[in-house]
């Protein structure tokens, strides 16, 4: 921000964001209004410093203080005033750096808090960051709860005081000096009240800037040891955050990879040592480099850019690794850095592409049937009708007309489930849907004898608009493939454990063992379009469909379809 005659002459968007005022509001402020941005607790001191800065003709002044934003919330900032001359006009430059988050912890702990707090606060394990002399730099809330201290109490204690046996502490120190890592070490630690508890500890050396510190994960395994059961599950559950996190984690400063975790290195087929210190651009696929770099530099300048988006990284062997990025800005090593996570979505994207290709191919075939083949059949139908008008006694012509009608119906039936992959499921009353389908069937086929036994009350399942079509398919199948003079259908709805069972039986000619076994085989397709549409709908509902004899052991007395629908969960 630039001050001219105690009024704001210029402010950038970042200054407006910190203060909560728009640029227009800032430009129209009087000197008193500009001063009111400073918190009342700080106002007198800052005004005195400003007057001293002006009267003594100082070139620069710097200090930490609170701002009172437009919404009355408080921001801690580091403010620097510099004396400039522009076009022979004295100008005061005011630079703000937002340090609100840093002020929540000790100034000396800023680097570790900024870098790791978001990661280890959400974890179920207790985490402690300390130096080699035993001073505690930071902990998460789980660690405070485990030991029974507040932060103000624990910050002044030394790490050795938490060990019941100093021999355990010696093992940790020796392991870190030798290998810079200690895994699954059994130790006995002390609560605030002096009682001991058994724990498993994981420690490793990490770099914070140019300083080596110790990152330790502690798991209280007292109860597990007493029970002597589930120890392996407990150890896997409470392994250190750095080793367990599956997403890649990184810190970029001055375009360099200041930190990467093992997961990110493994994702790209390399090691942390090989990646740290390299330019981040080296790991971006060429086709995405311009996008990623452009957003990085805009973010560094304080511009509002999307914190989450997708792009491709380069594996060490040249392969593309599709990732989803979540990134933000943090203060690190007295400078600005980018910290974020990378989730590997390569397999997901490949699956989406395969699915999209399959859908596009299926829709192409469907369009061919619906347009080109239907047009050809229309021509056949017109020709057959003309021949029929000349020779009405020819049964072959009538057969052609009926075959065309069947083909047209098959195309229409195929279109009925074209949106099956995309429609959403919602809670549906299966009993009501069955009753509606039975009523429609009786209208279409009034001579059919239907016997139904349904459950009373709502029968809740997860379904979509294709449920009615599914029931229509199976009811129509029981009628059209039934050569009996008197066609009968038996419909029954039962309740099972976690699901409902709907059976639809008929007195038709039934199915032999070969056809019952292969009816739903997608490779053989003995059941035709309708049967496989029915299977597709049941697959979407996470249900099952099968067929058996209406009378056990006698396939000639009719078939019985059985549909199992999972119950809707309350």
């Amino acid at each position: 921000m630039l001050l001219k005659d105690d009024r704001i002459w210029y402010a950038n968007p970042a200054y407006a964001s910190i203060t909560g005022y728009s640029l227009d509001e800032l430009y129209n402020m009087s000197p008193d209004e500009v001063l009111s941005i400073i918190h009342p607790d700080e106002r007198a001191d800052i005004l005195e410093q400003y007057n001293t800065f002006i009267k003594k003709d100082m070139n620069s002044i710097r200090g930490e203080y609170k701002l009172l934003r437009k919404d009355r919330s408080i921001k801690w900032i580091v403010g620097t005033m510099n004396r400039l001359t522009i076009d022979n006009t004295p100008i005061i430059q005011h630079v703000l750096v937002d340090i609100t988050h840093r002020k929540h912890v000790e100034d000396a702990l800023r680097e570790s808090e900024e870098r790791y707090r978001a990661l280890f606060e959400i974890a179920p394990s207790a985490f402690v960051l300390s130096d080699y002399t035993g001073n505690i730099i930071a902990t998460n809330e789980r660690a405070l709860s485990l030991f029974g201290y507040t932060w103000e109490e624990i910050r002044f204690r030394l790490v050795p005081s938490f060990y019941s046996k100093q021999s355990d502490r010696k093992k940790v120190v020796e392991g870190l000096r030798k290998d810079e890592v200690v895994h699954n070490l059994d130790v006995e630690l002390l609560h605030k009240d002096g009682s001991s508890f058994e724990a498993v500890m994981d420690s490793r050396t990490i770099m914070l800037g140019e300083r080596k510190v110790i990152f330790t994960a502690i798991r209280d395994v007292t109860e597990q040891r007493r029970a002597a059961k589930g120890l392996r599950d407990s150890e896997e559950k409470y392994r250190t955050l750095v080793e367990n996190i599956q997403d890649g984690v990184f810190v970029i400063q001055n375009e360099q990879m200041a930190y990467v975790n093992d997961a990110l290195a493994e994702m790209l087929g390399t090691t942390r040592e090989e990646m740290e210190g390299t330019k981040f651009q080296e790991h971006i696929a060429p086709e995405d480099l311009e996008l990623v770099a452009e957003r990085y530099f805009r973010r560094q300048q304080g511009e509002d850019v999307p914190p989450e988006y997708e792009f491709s990284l380069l594996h060490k062997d040249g392969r593309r690794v599709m990732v989803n990025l979540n990134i933000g800005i943090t203060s690190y090593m007295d400078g600005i850095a980018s910290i974020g996570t990378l989730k590997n979505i390569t397999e997901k994207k490949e699956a989406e592409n395969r699915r999209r290709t399959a859908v596009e191919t299926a829709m192409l075939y469907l369009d061919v049937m619906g347009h080109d083949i239907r047009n050809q059949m229309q021509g056949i139908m017109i020709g057959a009708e003309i021949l029929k008008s000349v020779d009405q006694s020819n049964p072959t012509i009538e057969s052609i007309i009926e075959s065309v009608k069947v083909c047209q119906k098959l195309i229409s039936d195929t279109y009925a489930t074209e949106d099956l992959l995309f429609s959403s499921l919602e809670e549906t009353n299966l009993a009501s849907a069955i009753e509606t389908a039975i009523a429609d069937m009786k209208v279409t086929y009034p001579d059919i004898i239907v016997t139904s036994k349904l459950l009373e009350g709502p029968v809740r399942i997860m379904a979509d608009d294709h449920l009615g079509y599914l029931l229509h398919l199976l009811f129509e199948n029981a009628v059209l493939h039934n050569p009996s003079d008197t066609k009968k259908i038996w419909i029954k709805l039962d309740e099972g454990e976690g699901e409902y069972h709907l059976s639809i039986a008929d007195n038709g000619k039934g199915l032999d063992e070969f056809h019952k076994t292969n009816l739903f085989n997608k490779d053989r397709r003995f059941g035709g379009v309708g049967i496989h549409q029915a299977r597709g709908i049941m697959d979407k509902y996470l249900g099952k469909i099968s067929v058996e004899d209406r009378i056990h052991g006698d396939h000639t007395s009719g078939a019985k379809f059985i549909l199992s629908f999972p119950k809707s969960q309350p």
Side-chain angles (χ1 to χ4, degrees), residues 35-240:
L35 183 62
S36 70
I37 297 177
I38 300 172
H39 193 276
D41 295 346
E42 314 275 350
R43 201 169 291 160
D45 290 341
I46 297 302
L47 184 58
E48 181 179 352
Q49 293 178 28
Y50 177 75
N51 290 332
T52 301
F53 173 72
I54 296 297
K55 292 177 181 179
K56 292 189 176 182
D57 202 26
M58 300 170 67
N59 290 325
S60 179
I61 188 172
R62 174 186 173 95
E64 294 182 4
Y65 52 92
K66 293 182 288 187
L67 293 183
L68 191 63
R69 305 180 78 241
K70 181 181 179 181
D71 63 2
R72 316 311 291 172
S73 62
I74 296 173
K75 283 279 189 182
W76 272 98
I77 59 100
V78 171
T80 303
M81 285 191 178
N82 301 306
R83 190 183 299 275
L84 305 175
T85 300
I86 300 178
D87 296 331
N88 296 321
T89 300
I91 300 294
I92 301 300
Q93 180 192 51
H94 190 202
V95 180
L96 300 184
V97 177
D98 185 354
I99 60 167
T100 304
H101 185 68
R102 189 199 76 186
K103 296 297 291 185
H104 292 163
V105 294
E106 290 296 319
D107 292 344
L109 310 180
R110 182 183 66 248
E111 294 176 1
S112 60
E113 178 67 19
E114 290 281 337
R115 182 173 180 178
Y116 293 105
R117 178 67 64 183
L119 293 175
F120 66 47
E121 277 296 345
I122 63 174
S125 294
F127 290 107
V128 177
L129 203 63
S130 61
D131 61 24
Y132 269 86
T133 61
N135 294 303
I136 294 177
I137 300 173
T139 71
N140 64 353
E141 288 297 328
R142 179 72 182 98
L144 297 177
S145 174
L146 177 62
F147 288 103
Y149 291 93
T150 65
W151 168 244
E152 292 302 322
E153 292 171 329
I154 204 171
R155 57 184 286 203
F156 295 113
R157 299 187 65 87
L158 294 176
V159 170
S161 67
F162 295 100
Y163 286 87
S164 176
K165 303 174 182 177
Q166 289 305 307
S167 58
D168 288 343
R169 167 67 175 169
K170 184 177 179 181
K171 292 178 183 177
V172 174
V173 173
E174 290 177 350
L176 291 174
R177 286 175 177 171
K178 180 181 178 181
D179 302 318
E180 295 194 337
V181 64
V182 174
H183 288 305
N184 294 328
L185 181 65
D186 292 335
V187 295
E188 186 175 323
L189 302 176
L190 296 174
H191 293 297
K192 179 182 177 181
D193 61 9
S195 60
S196 63
F197 64 95
E198 294 181 75
V200 172
M201 178 181 294
D202 292 272
S203 295
R204 71 177 303 156
T205 298
I206 63 174
M207 295 297 298
L208 288 182
E210 298 178 355
R211 179 175 54 165
K212 280 188 178 182
V213 296
I214 301 170
F215 180 79
T216 301
I218 303 168
R219 304 187 299 276
D220 183 353
V221 296
T222 305
E223 294 300 324
Q224 292 88 334
R225 292 292 168 81
R226 288 174 182 172
K229 183 178 181 180
L231 180 57
R232 184 179 300 274
D233 292 340
S234 174
E235 289 175 347
E236 292 176 353
K237 181 179 179 181
Y238 293 100
R239 201 173 292 167
T240 60

Side-chain angles (χ1 to χ4, degrees), residues 492-524:
K492 185 177 180 181
L493 181 60
D494 291 320
E495 182 175 6
E497 184 175 353
E499 57 187 10
Y500 296 105
H501 303 291
L502 171 63
S503 65
I504 304 171
D506 61 67
N507 64 334
K509 61 182 180 180
L511 297 168
D512 58 29
E513 289 302 317
F514 176 79
H515 284 86
K516 285 200 297 288
T517 302
N518 292 281
L519 186 64
F520 299 105
N521 189 321
K522 292 183 178 180
D523 296 327
R524 295 179 179 272

Side-chain angles (χ1 to χ4, degrees), residues 454-471:
L454 307 180
L455 296 172
E456 295 183 0
V459 178
R460 302 296 183 186
I461 64 170
M462 297 302 292
D464 57 11
D465 292 339
H466 295 95
L467 177 60
Y469 181 67
L470 168 68
L471 298 173

